[in-house]
Amino acid sequence: MKIRVVTMFPEYFEGPLDVSIVGRAIEDGILEVELIDLREHGLGKHKQLDDTPFGGGPGMVMRIEPLAGVLEPLENTHRVLFTPSGHPMKQETLDRWAALEEITFVCGRYEGVDQRVIDHFIDEETSLGDYVLAGGEVAAAAAIEGIARLLPGVVGNPDSTVFESFRDGLLEEPVYTRPAEFRGWKVPEILLSGDHARIEAWRKEQRLQRTRERRPDLLDGLPSDN
Ligand code: ADE
C-alpha cells in the first residue's frame, strides 16, 4: 500500500515512520510512505502558504494554490483532509482505508483550509478526536500506524488484530502475566484455573463491564446477544 502525506512539516514524521510496526512495514516493502513538502509549493519568494480570512476574524487560512498544485495531479487517489471539523476516525475508518491501494493524507494547519480546496480536491474530512491540535500531522501519524498493523504480513500473529478492542464493539478485558503475585497483588484466580470456558465467560463479562462504565455509547449499536 502507498500512503502520501502532504504536510508543511515532513520532518515531523521522521520518528513515527522509523520505528516499530510502521518502520518494519516500510522496511519489508509492505507499506510505502511518500512525504510531500507543502512548503516547496508555497507562493513567492517567502513560499507563502496562508493568508488572512476574507470577511475578517482571527487566524490564518491555508490558500488554495499550493494545495491545488499538489492535489490536482493526484486525482486517482483517495484524498483525506485531517481537521477537527471532520468525521471521527474510528477502527472502521482505518479498516476501509487499509483496503485501498493508495491514499493521500493532507495535514491542515492554522485555523483552517480554504473551503474550495475541500470542495474540489478532498474526498473525506477526518478528525482524530474532539480536541484541537496545531495541525493534522498527529492524526496522519496515528492513521498510518493504525493502517500499517492491518496490512497482511505486518503483525506477526494474525489473530491479534481480530481479538482486540473495538473488533467486537467492546473495550478489551484486563490482562495479566507472570508473576501470579506481586507485593500481595494477585492475578484473578480464574485465569489460573485452566478452565477455558469459564475464562472466556469471565473475559466477556469484563469487556462488557468496562464498556458499560467507560464507553456506554459503544453499547448502543451492538446486537442484543452481547
Ligand atoms: N487538526 C487539528 N486538530 C485536529 C484533530 N483533532 N483531528 C485531526 N486534525 C486536526
Side-chain angles (χ1 to χ4, degrees):
M1 178 177 188
K2 172 160 182 173
I3 302 178
R4 282 198 195 81
V5 184
V6 182
T7 172
M8 289 171 56
F9 302 102
E11 64 276 16
Y12 174 86
F13 292 90
E14 276 165 25
L17 295 184
D18 284 348
V19 296
S20 186
I21 281 182
V22 177
R24 228 177 312 132
I26 293 173
E27 208 174 286
D28 294 347
I30 297 168
L31 176 66
E32 180 190 347
V33 178
E34 181 190 354
L35 300 171
I36 298 176
D37 187 351
L38 194 54
R39 184 65 65 181
E40 289 176 7
H41 300 261
L43 303 171
K45 74 170 192 294
H46 297 297
K47 298 287 175 195
Q48 189 191 355
L49 292 172
D50 62 333
D51 216 326
T52 52
F54 279 129
M60 301 291 272
V61 176
M62 287 176 85
R63 292 178 60 124
I64 191 169
E65 304 95 316
L67 283 163
V70 172
L71 294 171
E72 199 157 34
L74 303 179
E75 248 180 313
N76 290 325
T77 185
H78 188 67
R79 299 156 302 182
V80 177
L81 173 69
F82 286 111
T83 158
S85 318
H87 299 276
M89 187 162 84
K90 308 224 164 149
Q91 187 59 48
E92 68 219 33
T93 318
L94 297 176
D95 292 345
R96 179 162 53 79
W97 291 348
L100 301 173
E101 254 168 55
E102 62 165 77
I103 191 163
T104 299
F105 292 148
V106 180
C107 303
R109 275 269 144 180
Y110 304 120
E111 277 66 27
V113 174
D114 189 300
Q115 182 61 36
R116 292 166 293 180
V117 174
I118 297 161
D119 294 344
H120 299 283
F121 302 114
I122 293 294
D123 301 302
E124 183 171 3
E125 293 174 83
T126 301
S127 168
L128 191 58
D130 293 339
Y131 35 79
V132 179
L133 304 166
E137 279 76 10
V138 174
I144 292 169
E145 186 168 312
I147 288 171
R149 57 190 297 288
L150 295 173
L151 298 177
V154 171
V155 175
N157 172 9
D159 284 347
S160 66
T161 55
V162 177
F163 299 106
E164 64 184 5
S165 285
F166 303 117
R167 281 292 159 196
D168 58 1
L170 299 175
L171 303 183
E172 295 235 282
E173 72 274 14
V175 294
Y176 300 86
T177 187
R178 281 187 288 240
E181 183 173 340
F182 177 74
R183 296 185 187 161
W185 304 329
K186 290 185 179 148
V187 167
E189 204 67 52
I190 188 160
L191 295 176
L192 310 175
S193 70
D195 183 338
H196 293 294
R198 281 185 56 225
I199 289 171
E200 245 347 281
W202 179 86
R203 286 180 167 157
K204 182 66 182 276
E205 185 46 42
Q206 293 288 317
R207 289 202 291 277
L208 274 169
Q209 199 178 309
R210 255 194 188 178
T211 309
R212 251 182 247 123
E213 249 173 56
R214 300 178 185 180
R215 295 293 306 277
D217 57 301
L218 293 178
L219 292 170
D220 295 342
L222 285 184
S224 51
D225 64 332
N226 269 293

